[in-house]
Amino acid sequence: MSEHNISVTVNGTHHELTVEPRTLLVSALREELGYTGANVGCETGRCGACTVRVDGETIKSCTRFAVQSDGAEIETVEGLADDGELSTLQEQFQENHGLQCGYCTPGMLMSADTFLRENEDPSREEIRDAIEGNLCRCTGYHNIVDAIEATADQLGEQR
Amino acid sequence: MYTNDFDYYRADSVGEAVELLGDHDGAELVAGAHGLLPRMKTGDESPPALVDIGQLNGLDAIESSDGGSISVGALATHAEIADSEIVREHAAALADAASELGDPPVRNGGTIGGNLAHGDPRSDPPAALLALEGSLEVRGSDGERTIDAAELFEGPFETAVADDEIVTAVRIPTDDDAVSGYRKRRDPLSGYAMVGVGVWLRTDDETIEAARVAVTGATTTPARLSGVEDELEGSAVSEETITAAAAEAGTALDADAFVSDVQASAEYREHLLTIDTERALYDVLDVGQ
Ligand SMILES: Cc1cc2nc3c(=O)[nH]c(=O)nc-3n(C[C@@H](O)[C@H](O)[C@H](O)COP(=O)(O)OP(=O)(O)OC[C@H]3O[C@@H](n4cnc5c(N)ncnc54)[C@H](O)[C@@H]3O)c2cc1C
Ligand code: FES
Ligand code: FES
């Protein structure tokens, strides 16, 4: 069984680790590096609970081998808060009751955060399209859309 | 959920990738892993070695050339294609297919080269490629060659791209007088195409001069719909033409060409194909509805 030394930056921190080729990115993040924010739901690429940002773009970390991300800049939900202070998006999820069990939340937040970077004033329809790849088994979609919309409004006011 | 163990090699150039494929029996390329990894998890595929081309530079460019074609690098992601103004302007069917594929993170993860080389019959881009009469530029141990869309799809997960060949780009001829589009009916479970129809038409506003229509998802192998094309060519741009052409959707296909599964029987898919062909034609032609 071959093993590979890779390095990744997660939320600004540099890590070196040794992985088997078949180690999934989500497993490396959770089990090797302790970033348990990315959740494992379906493991088939459908549910989005494992969504993280790799080099600025969201991907489902259960559908990528860790070794493929050698050298990548990875961002997980743990990186959204600033020194324990929740981001506007996280606050709005709390405010709007955008989570129930919270299992989908890390992936939802990563998709929404990425989307809001490029869409300052989105419609509800656009928000729904943006979180199409993130399933919420508690089906709290209305509140999730409310939370993302409220974040866009609040960030807009601050600009 | 782990896949079987395998050896992993990273290629730093197309040439090195070709060599690595030749050196390791049964080795497969991996680009985005979005086609391969799900099938390795289920055991449908179990390559002993993977050659990673995902980090190769320069294979993701989308360019239009003077010679009347556009070139889309094999590593261009579906998201990049969906966002490309060049693709939207010159190959709208491909832009539609890319925007309808999966969901945002999946569109960031998968590449067009991997999609077309894999031959998953539920994929969206094949119907667009067939309708646009695109081709693949590939490089292997014997040098470079071109594979036309019409020769590419050989069966479920079987394509004309050989084991030691790398798709480097997708080339699509452009025609300023033509319109194209892709219409998808999603499989409610997988999100892939249950029925997908690609159309390309050249008209002089009154008459349809040339027509190319193709199906994916509904059939075990993506295919051109010659019955529809024959009905369209030379006919007036009208609602009657569209209705008559759509009625031909299944006629040139074998009876066993249609997929049957828990979501839809072969008969139902054939029925849907008529409806979706009609809608795909209305999408691109300036008539009625
Ligand atoms: C949850 C999910 C939903 C999806 N939904 C859709 C959908 O709705 N519609 C759709 O069409 N697709 C869908 N896909 C698949 C799509 O995202 C992938 O782009 C595609 O199937 C494979 O591209 P890839 O780059 O990931 O290829 P890989 O998985 O890396 O490779 C796939 C195959 O192609 C070969 N290959 C890869 N690159 C090359 C190359 N340059 N030259 C030669 N051979 C190559 C590999 O050896 C392998 O056999 C979905 C995938 C997932 C995970
Ligand atoms: S666990 Fe990755 S998409 Fe569900
Ligand atoms: S809050 Fe429970 S899955 Fe979304």
Side-chain angles (χ1 to χ4, degrees), chain A residues 1-2 4 6 20-24 27 31 42-46 51 57-60 62-65 67-71 111 129-134, chain B residues 1-10 30-34 37-38 40-41 50 52 55 80 102-110 186 189-192:
Chain A
M1 184 166 31
S2 63
H4 294 263
I6 63 168
E20 285 181 50
R22 63 181 185 157
T23 304
L24 303 174
S27 318
E31 288 150 35
C42 65
E43 284 191 279
T44 64
R46 298 239 67 89
T51 306
E57 287 174 352
T58 52
I59 67 149
K60 296 179 176 178
C62 72
T63 307
R64 177 132 310 174
F65 296 112
V67 62
Q68 291 178 279
S69 298
D70 188 14
S111 282
D129 285 346
I131 57 168
E132 192 189 354
N134 297 84
Chain B
M1 198 195 297
Y2 276 80
T3 66
N4 286 334
D5 195 23
F6 57 88
D7 289 324
Y8 172 87
Y9 305 94
R10 184 174 309 144
V30 63
H34 274 51
L37 218 175
M40 286 174 70
K41 285 179 176 171
L50 290 183
D52 190 356
Q55 300 196 8
E80 285 161 355
D103 55 53
V106 166
R107 291 196 283 276
N108 291 331
R186 282 180 170 240
L189 185 63
S190 73
Y192 280 79

Side-chain angles (χ1 to χ4, degrees), chain B residues 6-21:
Chain B
F6 57 88
D7 289 324
Y8 172 87
Y9 305 94
R10 184 174 309 144
D12 291 322
S13 67
V14 173
E16 192 187 352
V18 173
E19 264 174 45
L20 285 165
L21 287 177

Side-chain angles (χ1 to χ4, degrees), chain A residues 98-105 108 135-140 144:
Chain A
L99 59 155
Q100 291 165 67
C101 78
Y103 204 82
C104 68
T105 313
M108 266 317 164
L135 304 183
C136 176
R137 262 334 284 272
C138 302
T139 67
I144 292 170

Side-chain angles (χ1 to χ4, degrees), chain B residues 83-267:
Chain B
D83 287 346
S84 160
E85 279 172 27
I86 294 177
V87 180
R88 174 54 60 197
E89 187 182 340
H90 296 291
L94 186 63
D96 289 349
S99 357
E100 286 285 319
L101 185 153
D103 55 53
V106 166
R107 291 196 283 276
N108 291 331
T111 68
I112 187 67
N115 187 289
L116 294 171
H118 208 195
D120 186 331
R122 310 164 302 167
S123 282
D124 298 293
L129 189 82
L130 282 166
L132 294 164
E133 280 193 347
S135 58
L136 299 187
E137 290 174 5
V138 303
R139 188 131 123 229
S141 45
D142 294 334
E144 294 178 14
R145 68 175 181 129
T146 300
I147 304 174
D148 289 335
E151 263 81 63
L152 179 62
F153 305 106
E154 298 180 332
F157 297 99
E158 304 234 352
T159 64
V161 181
D163 292 345
D164 70 337
E165 281 182 329
I166 296 172
V167 179
T168 53
V170 181
R171 188 163 289 280
I172 294 168
T174 57
D175 182 338
D176 291 343
D177 298 323
V179 290
S180 74
Y182 171 76
R183 176 173 269 266
K184 172 176 188 174
R185 182 185 296 267
R186 282 180 170 240
D187 179 307
L189 185 63
S190 73
Y192 280 79
M194 184 150 109
V195 181
V197 180
V199 299
W200 174 96
L201 302 171
R202 178 150 35 76
T203 73
D204 65 2
D205 290 335
E206 280 165 20
T207 311
I208 298 168
E209 296 170 348
R212 305 198 292 252
V213 182
V215 58
T216 190
T219 49
T220 53
T221 310
R224 289 273 290 271
L225 301 176
S226 56
V228 179
E229 296 175 355
D230 292 346
E231 188 68 35
L232 289 170
E233 285 185 356
S235 299
V237 174
S238 69
E239 294 187 29
E240 292 72 33
T241 297
I242 291 177
T243 308
E248 299 293 324
T251 52
L253 296 168
D254 291 340
D256 59 1
F258 289 92
V259 174
S260 189
D261 62 17
V262 286
Q263 299 295 343
S265 64
E267 293 74 17

